[in-house]
């Protein structure tokens, strides 16, 4: 991570977090923006602000408060509710705010010797001055893959979507294991979840997924061999769908949707 720099402008974006939610305005840009002197925030509430980075040349700050403190504007909303509503880069910064806050909350003590950790002021890191152990925000790599078979795409209904009245069919995904390449992870996850072998594994794009700290790395692949045999702990069903007759798929703004659309183009 390069050194964090403050933007030249006085105005800034404010990511105010409390009890797993953040302050958003129901009109305008949604995320509070402006000079600290001009905003109605209670006195001293921003004294503990932390620089997250910049967006459109303006600094972005994380401010943590207790018990959904009234900030004088907007209301507290979940991070998920911002997905697809604010610009992608602003959503990513909101996700970064949650991940940074979680990092400081879970790294107050050294994992190696148990002594209290200190914040490092020039990067997002915690250091133990007793044993010199240093820790950075955790990022968990995760693959997500859209699989093509002639003019069909493999979509699955996941257990976690079961209770939804409008079941969403999506691509396969899973966490990378220690010491594993992303390509090997794609092969393993596909085989574990649906019992198929795939080929022509191609990287497409990535998306930070801050629930709580995944980094989704998206691939396309082609069917090679095997019959669908689902892993029942993870999936309810998985089927080949004709690209002209798809079930309900994930919404715009998600990497799954991008991979499905890319695969439809590959089929045509
Ligand atoms: Zn230590």
């Amino acid at each position: 991570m390069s050194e964090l720099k403050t933007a030249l402008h006085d105005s800034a974006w404010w990511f105010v977090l409390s009890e797993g939610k953040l302050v958003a305005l129901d009109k305008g840009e949604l995320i509070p923006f402006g000079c600290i002197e001009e905003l109605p925030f209670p006195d001293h509430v921003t004294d503990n602000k932390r620089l997250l980075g910049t967006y459109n040349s303006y600094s972005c700050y994380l401010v943590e408060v207790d018990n959904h403190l009234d900030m004088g504007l907007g209301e507290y909303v979940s991070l998920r509710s911002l997905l697809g509503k604010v610009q992608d880069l602003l959503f990513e910064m909101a996700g970064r705010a949650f991940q940074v806050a979680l990092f400081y909350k879970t790294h107050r003590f050294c994992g190696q010797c148990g002594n209290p950790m200190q914040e490092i002021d020039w990067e997002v890191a915690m250091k133990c001055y007793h044993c010199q152990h240093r820790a950075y925000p955790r990022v968990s790599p995760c693959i997500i893959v859209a699989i093509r078979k002639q003019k069909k795409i493999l979509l699955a209904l996941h257990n976690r979507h079961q209770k939804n009245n409008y079941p969403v069919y999506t691509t396969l995904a899973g966490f990378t294991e220690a010491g594993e390449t992303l390509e090997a992870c794609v092969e393993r996850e596909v085989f574990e979840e649906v019992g198929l072998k795939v080929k022509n594994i191609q990287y497409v794009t990535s998306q930070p997924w801050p629930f709580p700290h995944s980094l989704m790395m998206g691939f396309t692949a082609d069917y090679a061999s095997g019959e669908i045999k689902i892993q029942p702990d993870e999936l309810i069903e998985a089927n080949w769908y004709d690209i002209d007759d798809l079930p309900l798929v994930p919404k715009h703004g998600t990497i799954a949707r991008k991979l499905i659309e890319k695969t439809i183009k590959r089929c045509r």
Side-chain angles (χ1 to χ4, degrees):
M1 175 61 64
S2 60
E3 193 173 342
L4 293 169
K5 290 191 177 68
T6 319
L8 295 171
H9 310 284
D10 285 342
S11 291
W13 297 90
W14 299 90
F15 296 85
V16 180
L17 268 58
S18 184
E19 325 297 324
K21 294 193 166 187
L22 88 167
V23 170
L25 306 164
D26 48 7
K27 292 176 189 152
E29 296 93 342
L30 286 164
I31 303 294
F33 175 82
C35 289
I36 190 66
E37 296 80 13
E38 294 166 356
L39 290 167
F41 292 166
D43 288 346
H44 302 297
V45 80
T46 56
D47 289 355
N48 69 348
K49 69 180 189 287
R50 289 188 171 111
L51 184 63
L52 294 166
T54 59
Y55 171 71
N56 277 354
S57 306
Y58 292 94
S59 295
C60 298
Y61 288 106
L62 163 66
V63 176
E64 291 184 80
V65 299
D66 294 327
N67 299 321
H68 295 155
L69 177 72
D70 185 2
M71 295 296 284
L73 50 75
E75 57 184 326
Y76 287 92
V77 301
S78 71
L79 179 57
R80 268 181 203 277
S81 71
L82 293 183
L83 186 63
K85 276 196 200 165
V86 298
Q87 293 192 20
D88 286 355
L89 287 174
L90 209 49
F91 178 79
E92 283 170 22
M93 191 61 80
R96 178 168 164 74
F98 274 84
Q99 286 180 251
V100 168
L102 180 68
F103 166 68
Y104 285 118
K105 186 180 169 190
T106 55
H107 289 78
R108 292 178 297 143
F109 296 94
C110 178
Q112 187 160 257
C113 77
N115 277 289
M117 303 271 269
Q118 310 289 325
E119 283 186 30
I120 293 173
D121 61 6
W122 57 275
E123 62 177 355
V124 178
M126 292 288 270
K127 185 172 177 179
C128 172
Y129 286 91
H130 186 76
C131 75
Q132 311 307 316
H133 174 61
R134 197 185 279 236
Y136 296 92
R138 185 169 151 195
V139 177
S140 303
C142 193
I143 64 89
I144 178 165
V145 56
I147 305 162
R148 178 180 76 141
K149 183 184 184 185
Q150 292 148 0
K151 294 217 178 290
K152 292 183 174 176
I153 179 170
L154 184 88
L155 295 173
L157 182 60
H158 289 72
N159 271 332
R160 62 178 181 274
H161 292 151
Q162 189 173 16
K163 290 184 181 131
N164 197 323
N165 287 331
Y166 303 95
V168 176
Y169 287 74
T170 188
T171 48
L172 301 180
F175 287 104
T176 313
E177 292 188 350
E180 186 177 49
T181 65
L182 296 171
E183 292 79 3
C185 181
V186 169
E187 291 179 358
R188 178 182 56 75
E189 279 291 341
V190 171
F191 190 74
E192 282 178 6
E193 292 197 8
V194 293
L196 301 178
K197 298 277 188 186
V198 291
K199 59 186 180 182
N200 300 335
I201 297 168
Q202 299 283 331
Y203 174 75
V204 179
T205 185
S206 64
Q207 182 180 40
W209 194 242
F211 306 102
H213 42 59
S214 298
L215 174 60
M216 307 295 285
M217 288 174 281
F219 291 83
T220 56
D222 290 337
Y223 167 82
S225 64
E227 294 292 322
I228 293 174
K229 183 171 182 297
I230 62 161
Q231 151 62 266
D233 292 337
E234 305 239 2
L235 304 179
I236 295 167
E237 58 174 299
N239 303 294
W240 294 109
Y241 289 93
D242 192 291
I243 56 166
D244 293 317
D245 189 18
L246 293 179
L248 186 62
V249 296
K251 62 182 178 180
H252 288 284
T254 61
I255 190 168
R257 180 63 174 253
K258 273 187 199 158
L259 295 173
I260 290 167
E261 286 177 357
K262 171 111 181 162
T263 299
I264 291 169
K265 272 191 194 146
R266 291 179 72 224
C267 290
R268 291 202 195 283

